[in-house]
C-alpha cells in the first residue's frame, strides 16, 4: 500500500517545491533552531525534524546515506548545510528518485532507487545513515537495521526518527538493542512533533489545496498529519508516539559520533 501510494505521489504531483513529507518538529519556546536561508523557511519544521534526528552527530566531511529520501528535501538540506563529503538519497519509489534526480542533484549528491531492507551498496560504504519518518513503511525493521549495520563503516552513526503505535514501542527498543549497533541516546519527541503540526497546520492545508486534486484531499489530510486527523489525535492521546534515536557502530575509523 505504501509503495503504491508514494509511487503515485511522485509520478502525479511533480511540483519540485514540494520537498518534504514528514510531520516536522518544533522545540519549546527558546529552544535551538537551525539558521536557514530565506528559500528554506517554508520547510523550517520539516528541516527541524532532520536536525533533531541528527542531533550532535557531525556529518562534516562524511559520506552520508539518507534512506527513505522521498522528494529529496532532507538529502538536499544535509548536502547544503551540514558539509558532508557526499550525500546519497535512497528511496523505494522510482518516481520520487526521478523527481530528485531532476530537481535536487548537486555536486556530491546522488539519488538511487532501492529497498531499505536490501540496499544496493557494498559493505562499509557510508559514515552515517539518516532515516526520517520512513521505517514505519518497512515490512521488517530487523532487516533494515541489519542493512544499516552492514553499510556503515566502523565508527559510523545511525540517526533515526519515526512514528510508532505505543503498543509497539517496547518491541522497537528491543530491535534497536539487538541491531549490533550501540544505542547512544533515545528520546520521545512527540510533544515537539505535535507542536510543529499545530503551528504549521494552515501551511499544510494550503499545500494540500495547491498540489492535490480536490477528490484526493480528504485522503491526503490524515497522511499529512493535519489537526484532528487520525495520527494527530493518536499522538495527542498517547496511542502513537514519535521517537528519535542515535546509534553507533563499533570502531573509531572516521567516527561521526
Ligand atoms: C513519509 S515519506 C518521508 C520522506 C522523507 N524522509 C521526508 O522526511 O520528507 C517516507 C518515504 O519512505 C520511502 N520508503 C517506504 N518504504 C521504503 C523502502 N522499503 N525502502 C526505501 N524507501 C522506502 C517512501 O517511498 C517515502 O518516500
Amino acid at each position: 500500500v505504501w509503495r503504491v501510494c508514494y509511487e503515485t505521489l511522485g509520478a502525479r504531483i511533480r511540483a519540485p517545491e514540494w520537498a518534504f513529507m514528514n510531520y516536522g518538529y518544533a522545540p519549546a519556546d527558546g529552544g535551538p533552531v537551525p539558521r536557514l536561508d530565506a528559500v528554506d523557511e517554508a520547510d523550517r519544521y520539516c528541516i527541524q525534524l532532520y536536525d533533531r534526528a541528527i542531533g550532535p552527530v557531525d556529518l562534516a566531511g562524511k559520506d552520508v546515506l539518507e534512506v527513505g529520501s522521498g522528494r529529496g528535501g532532507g538529502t538536499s538540506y544535509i548536502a547544503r548545510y551540514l558539509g558532508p563529503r557526499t550525500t546519497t538519497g535512497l528511496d523505494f519509489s522510482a518516481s520520487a528518485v526521478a523527481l530528485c534526480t531532476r530537481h535536487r542533484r548537486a555536486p556530491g549528491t546522488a539519488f538511487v532507487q532501492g529497498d531499505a531492507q536490501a540496499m544496493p551498496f557494498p559493505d562499509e560504504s557510508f559514515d552515517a545513515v539518516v532515516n526520517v519518518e520512513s521505517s514505519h513503511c518497512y515490512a521488517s525493521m530487523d532487516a533494515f537495521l541489519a542493512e544499516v549495520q552492514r553499510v556503515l563503516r566502523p565508527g559510523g552513526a545511525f540517526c533515526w526518527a519515526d512514528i510508532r503505535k505505543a503498543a509497539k514501542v517496547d518491541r522497537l527498543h528491543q530491535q534497536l538493542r539487538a541491531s549490533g549497533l550501540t544505542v547512544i541516546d533515545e528520546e520521545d519527541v512527540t510533544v515537539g512533533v505535535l507542536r510543529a503540526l499545530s503551528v504549521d497546520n494552515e501551511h499544510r492545508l494550503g499545500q494540500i489545496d495547491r498540489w492535490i486534486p480536490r477528490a484526493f484531499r480528504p485522503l491526503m489530510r490524515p497522511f499529512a498529519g493535519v489537526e484532528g486527523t487520525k495520527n494527530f489525535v493518536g499522538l495527542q492521546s498517547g496511542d502513537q508516539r514519535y521517537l528519535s534515536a542515535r546509534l553507533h557502530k563499533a570502531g573509531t575509523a572516521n567516527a561521526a559520533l
Side-chain angles (χ1 to χ4, degrees):
V1 170
W2 286 120
R3 285 177 187 177
V4 172
C5 184
Y6 285 113
E7 203 59 71
T8 309
L9 282 174
R12 293 293 171 89
I13 299 154
R14 302 225 175 141
E17 60 275 24
W18 181 12
F20 288 89
M21 296 188 285
N22 71 56
Y23 285 0
Y25 176 83
D29 279 348
V33 293
R35 287 172 70 96
L36 297 177
D37 297 338
V39 69
D40 294 310
E41 279 296 338
D43 294 318
R44 168 165 287 285
Y45 297 105
C46 293
I47 289 173
Q48 286 176 184
L49 184 59
Y50 274 84
D51 228 44
R52 187 73 200 203
I54 293 165
V57 176
D58 182 6
L59 300 182
K62 305 292 195 297
D63 293 317
V64 179
L65 170 66
E66 186 191 4
V67 181
S69 45
R71 301 178 73 94
T75 303
S76 170
Y77 167 70
I78 291 167
R80 289 181 295 124
Y81 284 85
L82 305 182
R85 197 172 78 92
T86 64
T87 321
T88 304
L90 177 80
D91 202 283
F92 197 84
S93 161
S95 62
V97 169
L99 195 142
C100 292
T101 303
R102 253 194 324 275
H103 298 294
R104 318 233 185 274
R105 253 222 327 238
T109 305
F111 292 93
V112 176
Q113 197 265 331
D115 189 342
Q117 301 152 114
M119 296 190 209
F121 306 113
D123 297 357
E124 301 187 1
S125 320
F126 298 99
D127 304 305
V129 174
V130 176
N131 183 243
V132 172
E133 208 170 300
S134 179
S135 64
H136 64 273
C137 304
Y138 309 162
S140 169
M141 185 72 181
D142 291 325
F144 168 54
L145 290 170
E147 281 295 84
V148 173
Q149 149 84 6
R150 183 183 69 75
V151 301
L152 273 178
R153 295 182 182 130
F158 174 46
C159 307
W160 172 85
D162 207 352
I163 192 167
R164 281 291 182 284
K165 288 200 168 76
K168 297 198 169 166
V169 168
D170 284 348
R171 170 90 183 109
L172 177 84
H173 287 149
Q174 286 166 11
Q175 288 172 315
L176 293 179
R177 277 168 180 70
S179 65
L181 303 167
T182 305
V183 179
I184 302 296
D185 68 80
E186 274 180 276
E187 55 188 343
D188 187 322
V189 295
T190 307
V191 172
V193 170
L194 275 170
R195 194 181 290 119
L197 285 172
S198 292
V199 177
D200 209 29
N201 197 55
E202 290 306 311
H203 177 234
R204 283 172 181 268
L205 285 168
Q207 287 179 321
I208 293 170
D209 286 352
R210 197 169 327 128
W211 294 326
I212 307 295
R214 188 179 293 274
F216 295 99
R217 288 178 199 162
L219 291 175
M220 197 62 193
R221 289 184 194 119
F223 181 77
V226 164
E227 277 183 333
T229 58
K230 190 169 170 240
N231 280 357
F232 183 90
V233 172
L235 287 168
Q236 271 182 323
S237 70
D239 286 348
Q240 305 245 41
R241 288 169 60 188
Y242 211 110
L243 306 168
S244 179
R246 277 140 300 280
L247 292 85
H248 179 245
K249 179 164 173 173
T252 51
N254 222 349
L257 256 177

